[in-house]
Amino acid sequence: MTKVITKFTRNVPHWQPRVKPVDLKEASAEQLDALKVTPSNTKVSEYVLTLAHDVESLKVRSPLFNGIMYDKGGMSRAERELGALGASMVNHCIYCAAVHAARHSQLEKSNEVTDKLFRDGPRADLGPRDRAIFDFAVALSETPSQAGPEHMAALNDAGLDEAEVLDLILSASLFGWANRLMHVLGDPVRLPETAS
């Protein structure tokens, strides 16, 4: 019996899809191309394997995701993860929040920010730059028109330039979509421990 996780955690849960993911051994040439699977790259998440049922969408999704989250220049990787975390907390996507909180902690080599956010919620005591980034991502995710001049002023006061603000908008927006897709395609669960 599996249990759906409903509370935020940095301990990344298993994601249980509602439809059977594509089996790599049985994948079509088009699916393998969309997955960019090579013989040395056989570790593909169940989420991505589920998306492989729609080859055309996956072929667009993966480069977009990689470009927004991993592109060089602009906002730091950790700050993009913070933007993704803000969106994921608003959308209550437990799986995405766990993944991006864990990545933020790894990149920052500190759990402080994510511990505060998961313990104290969106009003947690953050430094000025993290506060401005998180608040903007939350406002965009709740209702885009809520991200107003005061949010832009806070980002500018915290030292973000235009390229960094654009990266933040893209990362929060990407997860506005990705979170909802995760919700309808599956659930975050803890698998029962197996006897060793």
Side-chain angles (χ1 to χ4, degrees):
M1 182 79 144
T2 56
K3 181 179 178 190
V4 175
I5 307 298
T6 58
K7 291 186 177 178
F8 290 120
T9 174
R10 205 175 30 248
N11 184 9
V12 179
H14 175 75
W15 182 76
Q16 184 171 285
R18 297 187 208 292
V19 296
K20 184 179 175 188
V22 168
D23 184 336
L24 267 181
K25 296 180 193 128
E26 299 173 5
S28 69
E30 291 80 15
Q31 288 169 326
L32 290 174
D33 180 58
L35 290 163
K36 301 292 183 210
V37 173
T38 64
S40 62
N41 182 18
T42 56
K43 178 76 175 142
V44 182
S45 74
E46 287 191 82
Y47 175 65
V48 172
L49 289 170
T50 301
L51 296 179
H53 285 294
D54 185 340
V55 169
E56 293 305 315
S57 295
L58 182 59
K59 285 173 93 171
V60 174
R61 175 262 181 204
S62 296
L64 179 65
F65 180 92
N66 292 337
I68 290 172
M69 295 306 288
Y70 303 122
D71 198 22
K72 292 183 177 156
M75 181 176 264
S76 74
R77 280 276 323 279
E79 289 174 338
R80 293 177 206 209
E81 299 294 347
L82 186 59
L85 177 58
S88 299
M89 288 180 72
V90 168
N91 296 322
H92 208 74
C93 184
I94 300 298
Y95 184 84
C96 292
V99 167
H100 297 289
R103 286 190 186 151
H104 181 275
S105 294
Q106 290 168 348
L107 291 164
E108 289 292 305
K109 297 180 175 43
S110 170
N111 297 336
E112 183 181 354
V113 169
T114 54
D115 278 351
K116 285 181 179 178
L117 287 169
F118 286 165
R119 184 188 61 230
D120 303 332
R123 304 303 335 147
D125 181 26
L126 304 176
R129 189 169 169 105
D130 286 342
R131 172 88 276 147
I133 290 169
F134 187 81
D135 285 350
F136 189 71
V138 166
L140 278 180
S141 302
E142 287 177 340
T143 305
S145 60
Q146 287 182 12
E150 68 280 10
H151 291 97
M152 291 302 297
L155 292 170
N156 292 332
D157 290 347
L160 278 82
D161 63 25
E162 294 297 315
E164 290 173 315
V165 172
L166 181 59
D167 285 339
L168 176 57
I169 291 169
L170 292 173
S171 65
S173 301
L174 176 68
F175 280 87
W177 170 74
N179 293 158
R180 285 167 176 81
L181 194 56
M182 272 264 172
H183 282 308
V184 296
L185 287 175
D187 292 309
V189 299
R190 291 275 176 242
L191 296 177
E193 293 186 24
T194 55
S196 53

